Amino acid sequence: MAQEPMKTGLMKTIGAGLLREDDSGTEVQLAGWIGRRRDHGGVIFIDLRDSTGFAQVVLNPEDAPASQDVLHGLRTEYCVQVTGTVRPRPEGTINTDLPTGAVEVVAERLTVLSAAETLPFPLDGRTDVDEGLRLQYRYLDMRRERVARNLRARSKAIRAMRNVMDEQGFLEVETPTLIASTPEGARDMLVPSRLRQGQFYALPQSPQLFKQLLMIGGVERYYQIARCYRDEDFRADRQVEFTQLDFEGSFWGQEEVLETIELVARRVVTDLGHSIAPDPFVRMTYAEAMENYGSDKPDIRFDMKIVDLSAVLAQTEFKAFAGVLADGGSVRGINGGQLGLARSGLDALVSTAQEAGAKGLVWMVVEDDGSLRSPVAKFLSQSELYAIAEALDAVPGDTLMIVADRTSTVLEVLGRMRLHVGQPEGHDDLAFAFVVDFPVFDVHEDGTLSPAHHPFTAPASLETLVDSPETAVSKAYDLVLNGSELGSGSVRIHDASMQAKVFEVMGISADDAQRRFGWFLEALRYGTPPHAGFAIGIARFVSILQGEPNIREVIPFPKTQTGADPLTGSPSRVEEDQLRELGIRIAPDVVAAWAEEGGGATATPDV
Ligand code: ASP
């Protein structure tokens, strides 16, 4: 077995992971990396891994004595090529857990294509590696099955999306990434212009306005696998850049958009190997979602709906409840089911509710005789206790949780408690839901309003929007899966005067609107077709289907939660020359902070 010079041309005849018993007797050429290696009295076994999986290779120095040195120098993660013959594994060594477990390749020739230094972490799936290190060496991390599997799933998901879009007659159109700002509610990422010093491009928060221009331009069905950029503060399931399936259509409305989303979602789910019931996706209004689940992205893998107990307690003498009801608040509860908690566990529920914003939480445990054990039981009449148990469908052993407060707080807190104690009832369930009829504005505790969607979303009624903006509903809809928002969209405004009015109600002055979106308002005046669309976040969707707790696991080269890339070191300082060309100076206080950090200043205030 000699170390051969590398051959040109195709370096392998088959993927290592594809070998099966049928291949026994054939000569194959494999190329990949050395995974585990084991020495057994002179005979060396290696797992040769490539993008298709891995196969066991037997290297016997006796067969080719010349190879001794090479064989003993072999280390894990060396990149090698092996020529050999496939044979069935000897009796007793067959591994039925592995697709290639019935065979092994007896090597006749081994070529080291590239040696590997000792890796910063082992690549076997058994070692827990710090995420910072994994991201810094993402190219090694993706040799591991977890990331590799997720990249394959992501590719399949995108292919499924493209296939459906194509079958449905959508045109794939790219839109620019150096644009003027699009208002999606986040901060823009800016790119300075060298040719026009002092001016900036924004990276798109989404292709929103371009897809609307495509509709004005007569492209009746558009889609794109679009990169979006939002400079938001960290959240576990957000990245500063992310990819969406973005689509838009003309001469259609909400129903057709939702049908299309359902087609896409179903294809992705099945192509990724999951099954899904044929029933149409559950649909509920935003108001119903909040009322029943205390969330606009309800996890409906379990029921545990919020129940309004205000009527049942209308006459109560229990001050904590009566006071809230008199102030226009409400008393609501959920039945947490058979939680079997000791007193400390019940107290912990109260703390969880307080962390979620409640002043307190009343728990009640249903005893075997049907009576309710609770710290507040003595303040409530027998008939009130009975009515609470009945309203919450309580049976012995159930733990009930009740919150009394402003209605929005009650819903929010019980929504969180529901997620805290609820367990999916089925196994591996995918619970999709469309939430429709979103309000135009989010109403904050202090009564102020902020737009719930981008300002190109059509209100259900302009009149209501103007007369009572806080209750106005928009033609906006979301897709939710297992309690996560997968995407959102809306029917758009296709009339320039309506758009101007909506800007006004949203607090964007006519001057401001003209300055920022004058070009778009003008475009709306040239015969804009009615149009509507949607965008689905690809990483979030794939991460749920892959059972991954974090979207970073399905992003090839993710950033950390603070927007940094530990692999390439971005964001990073740049050369003074580059800044000078752009007409940019770093503020003196920033430079001073750099100096304090001790990193030295590459760009000084007087560049
Ligand atoms: N542009 C929106 C977003 O990125 C989606 C849409 O309204 O189509 O969330």
Side-chain angles (χ1 to χ4, degrees):
M1 219 185 304
Q3 188 174 3
E4 297 272 314
M6 208 171 90
K7 287 210 188 102
T8 52
L10 206 53
M11 291 186 194
K12 58 167 96 180
T13 56
I14 186 167
L18 305 179
L19 293 177
R20 297 290 181 270
E21 218 169 349
D22 283 0
D23 298 306
S24 297
T26 50
E27 169 147 314
V28 292
Q29 197 164 53
L30 307 177
W33 290 265
I34 299 182
R36 248 154 36 101
R37 68 163 273 171
R38 300 166 302 280
D39 286 26
H40 282 294
V43 180
I44 298 172
F45 292 87
I46 59 173
D47 287 342
L48 189 126
R49 187 193 69 241
D50 66 11
S51 62
T52 60
F54 63 87
Q56 174 161 294
V57 174
V58 188
L59 300 157
N60 191 344
E62 308 248 306
D63 295 346
S67 63
Q68 291 275 14
D69 282 355
V70 177
L71 291 188
H72 289 292
L74 288 180
R75 296 281 169 266
T76 46
E77 297 310 311
Y78 270 36
C79 184
V80 296
Q81 184 185 39
V82 166
T83 307
T85 306
V86 184
R87 74 170 182 206
R89 286 197 197 182
E91 195 84 10
T93 64
I94 292 172
N95 184 344
T96 48
D97 293 339
L98 287 178
T100 60
V103 292
E104 58 191 12
V105 175
V106 182
E108 282 130 32
R109 204 165 56 220
L110 178 136
T111 308
V112 174
L113 301 174
S114 178
E117 291 180 8
T118 305
L119 267 50
F121 52 86
L123 300 190
D124 59 58
R126 294 174 303 243
T127 316
D128 254 345
V129 182
D130 169 67
E131 202 193 359
L133 203 58
R134 288 179 56 203
L135 295 188
Q136 186 182 348
Y137 294 97
R138 189 61 155 185
Y139 51 91
L140 296 178
D141 193 30
M142 63 177 64
R143 287 188 194 169
R144 307 197 316 161
E145 181 50 20
R146 180 178 185 182
V147 182
R149 189 190 330 120
N150 288 340
L151 292 186
R152 290 195 295 271
R154 186 183 171 110
S155 167
K156 257 193 199 161
I158 292 176
R159 192 186 325 140
M161 292 172 172
R162 282 209 158 95
N163 287 343
V164 174
M165 287 285 121
D166 194 52
E167 288 158 20
Q168 299 295 314
F170 286 74
L171 193 69
E172 181 167 8
V173 185
E174 286 174 277
T175 55
T177 49
L178 294 175
I179 64 167
S181 160
T182 348
E184 291 274 359
R187 214 177 272 116
D188 283 323
M189 293 285 230
L190 298 176
V191 180
S193 160
R194 178 181 61 84
L195 294 175
R196 292 164 177 263
Q197 290 193 346
Q199 300 188 3
F200 294 81
Y201 301 98
L203 298 178
Q205 293 186 32
S206 87
Q208 185 60 36
L209 290 181
F210 283 97
K211 65 175 171 174
Q212 294 194 239
L213 292 181
L214 290 171
M215 296 304 108
I216 299 172
V219 177
E220 294 181 23
R221 294 283 183 274
Y222 141 90
Y223 85 98
Q224 177 177 199
I225 304 296
R227 194 59 72 85
C228 307
Y229 305 84
R230 296 186 192 173
D231 191 1
E232 291 177 305
D233 291 333
F234 90 89
R235 280 209 223 153
D237 60 351
R238 296 251 162 120
Q239 287 268 304
V240 286
E241 59 176 308
F242 59 95
T243 316
Q244 292 181 336
L245 164 68
D246 190 49
F247 69 86
E248 193 78 13
S250 297
F251 308 116
W252 70 350
Q254 174 170 312
E255 283 313 307
E256 294 77 16
V257 174
L258 298 191
E259 260 170 41
T260 306
I261 300 166
E262 192 161 336
L263 282 178
V264 172
R266 284 181 182 281
R267 183 75 63 86
V268 172
V269 165
T270 46
D271 282 10
L272 260 57
H274 297 268
S275 56
I276 179 172
D279 322 332
F281 290 177
V282 167
R283 196 181 297 191
M284 66 186 88
T285 64
Y286 169 88
E288 287 163 349
M290 294 309 292
E291 183 84 9
N292 292 322
Y293 304 102
S295 168
D296 61 358
K297 38 179 190 295
D299 189 342
I300 53 169
R301 282 175 297 173
F302 54 95
D303 201 29
M304 206 185 285
K305 289 200 186 73
I306 298 172
V307 176
D308 192 353
L309 302 170
S310 305
V312 163
L313 295 163
Q315 310 300 328
T316 189
E317 285 171 16
F318 178 37
K319 288 210 186 68
F321 289 172
V324 164
L325 292 174
D327 285 347
S330 62
V331 184
R332 294 173 198 236
I334 54 174
N335 183 344
Q338 306 277 311
L339 300 182
L341 295 173
R343 181 64 197 235
S344 57
L346 294 164
D347 288 343
L349 289 180
V350 179
S351 313
T352 307
Q354 284 167 339
E355 280 156 30
K359 287 187 216 56
L361 172 120
V362 168
W363 54 258
M364 297 183 171
V365 176
V366 188
E367 303 281 30
D368 286 344
D369 62 2
S371 65
L372 295 179
R373 170 164 59 89
S374 168
V376 308
K378 55 180 176 291
F379 305 117
L380 294 162
S381 70
Q382 276 314 313
S383 63
E384 282 166 349
L385 289 171
Y386 179 78
I388 290 172
E390 196 182 27
L392 288 169
D393 263 340
V395 297
D398 282 350
T399 301
L400 316 180
M401 283 164 260
I402 299 173
V403 175
D405 212 313
R406 277 167 42 113
T407 300
S408 58
T409 308
V410 173
L411 293 175
E412 157 91 26
V413 172
L414 287 176
R416 297 248 215 122
M417 295 314 291
R418 195 184 160 266
L419 294 180
H420 184 64
V421 299
Q423 293 293 332
E425 277 153 15
H427 183 61
D428 238 349
D429 252 356
L430 293 173
F432 284 97
F434 284 123
V435 180
V436 302
D437 296 349
F438 270 79
V440 177
F441 289 104
D442 290 328
V443 184
H444 302 287
E445 206 145 315
D446 61 1
T448 55
L449 303 178
S450 63
H453 289 90
H454 56 71
F456 311 101
T457 302
S461 135
L462 186 58
E463 235 165 52
T464 322
L465 179 63
V466 173
D467 296 345
S468 80
E470 63 291 341
T471 59
V473 167
S474 67
K475 294 184 185 168
Y477 33 77
D478 274 6
L479 175 65
V480 174
L481 171 59
N482 295 357
S484 279
E485 180 198 319
L486 285 193
S488 57
S490 57
V491 175
R492 325 296 183 186
I493 296 165
H494 66 278
D495 173 87
S497 59
M498 159 98 89
Q499 184 66 71
K501 191 81 211 155
V502 168
F503 278 146
E504 189 189 315
V505 180
M506 299 241 163
I508 303 173
S509 73
D511 280 355
D512 205 18
Q514 192 53 40
R515 189 176 48 78
R516 290 170 63 196
F517 316 114
W519 53 275
F520 183 70
L521 288 173
E522 182 183 0
L524 284 178
R525 294 199 292 266
Y526 297 119
T528 301
H531 59 289
F534 199 77
I536 302 181
I538 291 176
R540 208 170 285 173
F541 195 3
V542 176
S543 67
I544 295 173
L545 295 179
Q546 291 293 97
E548 288 291 2
N550 192 301
I551 59 169
R552 292 191 293 279
E553 296 297 344
V554 302
I555 297 176
F557 295 100
K559 308 243 181 324
T560 61
Q561 290 197 358
T562 52
D565 174 11
L567 170 53
T568 62
S570 76
S572 56
R573 295 180 202 169
V574 297
E575 297 301 327
E576 287 175 16
D577 285 352
Q578 286 176 288
L579 290 177
R580 198 176 297 116
E581 277 185 335
L582 295 166
I584 289 179
R585 253 178 225 172
I586 305 293
D589 54 327
V590 175
V591 177
W594 287 353
E596 233 162 74
E597 276 167 26
T602 52
T604 55
D606 46 5
V607 284

